[in-house]
Amino acid sequence: QLLILGTMPGVRSLQEDQYYAHPRNAFWRIMAEIYGFGADAPYESRIESLVAAGVAVWDVPQFCVRPGSLDSSIEKRTRVPNDFESFFRAYPNIRSVFFNGAAAEAAFRDCGLHGIGVRDISFARLPSSSPAHAVSYDKKLRAWREALERLDPV
């Protein structure tokens, strides 16, 4: 029911083959607190918890060149977007898309994807869970919780 989009996994995430693997990224802490699972549970267990809650995690580009992990280092001309039209057709229950930060939202728009294959889907930007986004954890958690509760109280 919910698709959370990021920009592209960082170096640590690519090394570990896990979304949001950097220990200072707040994503798993936020999701764990909202959905009631352990933030330090094995990765597969955390993924199962999100799937059970109707949450998918993906990225705007399927490929890009980015030296390091900062979104600002993504070489825009190298971005190849994921196939959202096919994704939305394959998963017709998706009703909301949340962008994990402004860079993910901008990438989606820059790639000309806003409106592609979209029916009754709402879009919203949330504060980035990245440690590079200098907002307190409490503010991030509050914003994510409020957005998720507007969808379906958890």
Side-chain angles (χ1 to χ4, degrees), residues 11-78:
V11 171
R12 180 83 176 256
S13 292
L14 292 171
Q15 289 170 342
E16 295 187 25
D17 196 26
Q18 297 181 3
Y19 277 109
Y20 305 107
H22 191 287
R24 289 186 25 236
N25 191 298
F27 180 81
W28 289 113
R29 277 181 66 200
I30 291 169
M31 293 294 104
E33 192 151 338
I34 292 171
Y35 290 111
F37 61 86
D40 56 354
Y43 183 70
E44 293 305 321
S45 176
R46 289 180 276 154
I47 293 296
E48 289 171 8
S49 295
L50 288 186
V51 170
V55 177
V57 178
W58 209 19
D59 292 302
V60 174
Q62 66 173 294
F63 176 83
C64 70
V65 173
R66 175 176 62 187
S69 295
L70 294 176
D71 289 340
S72 59
S73 297
I74 291 174
E75 296 175 16
K76 290 182 181 182
R77 63 178 171 66
T78 67

Side-chain angles (χ1 to χ4, degrees), residues 1-3 51 53-56 91-97 121 151-152:
Q1 297 169 353
L2 170 63
L3 174 60
V51 170
V55 177
Y91 298 97
N93 291 334
I94 298 287
R95 293 287 169 244
S96 297
V97 173
I121 297 177
L151 292 180
D152 192 13

Side-chain angles (χ1 to χ4, degrees), residues 30-149:
I30 291 169
M31 293 294 104
E33 192 151 338
I34 292 171
Y35 290 111
F37 61 86
D40 56 354
Y43 183 70
E44 293 305 321
S45 176
R46 289 180 276 154
I47 293 296
E48 289 171 8
S49 295
L50 288 186
V51 170
V55 177
V57 178
W58 209 19
D59 292 302
V60 174
Q62 66 173 294
F63 176 83
C64 70
V65 173
R66 175 176 62 187
S69 295
L70 294 176
D71 289 340
S72 59
S73 297
I74 291 174
E75 296 175 16
K76 290 182 181 182
R77 63 178 171 66
T78 67
R79 285 188 309 211
V80 176
N82 271 310
D83 184 356
F84 287 94
E85 194 164 0
S86 294
F87 182 85
F88 290 136
R89 263 197 318 271
Y91 298 97
N93 291 334
I94 298 287
R95 293 287 169 244
S96 297
V97 173
F98 287 167
F99 299 104
N100 189 351
E105 181 182 38
F108 194 79
R109 291 182 193 279
D110 290 350
C111 290
L113 298 170
H114 209 272
I116 236 175
V118 176
R119 8 177 231 314
D120 295 324
I121 297 177
S122 64
F123 293 84
R125 176 180 22 139
L126 295 174
S128 174
S129 62
S130 169
H133 184 61
V135 171
S136 74
Y137 171 77
D138 290 337
K139 286 184 180 179
K140 290 178 185 184
L141 175 61
R142 185 171 38 256
W144 281 76
R145 185 185 303 279
E146 288 173 2
L148 288 164
E149 287 177 345

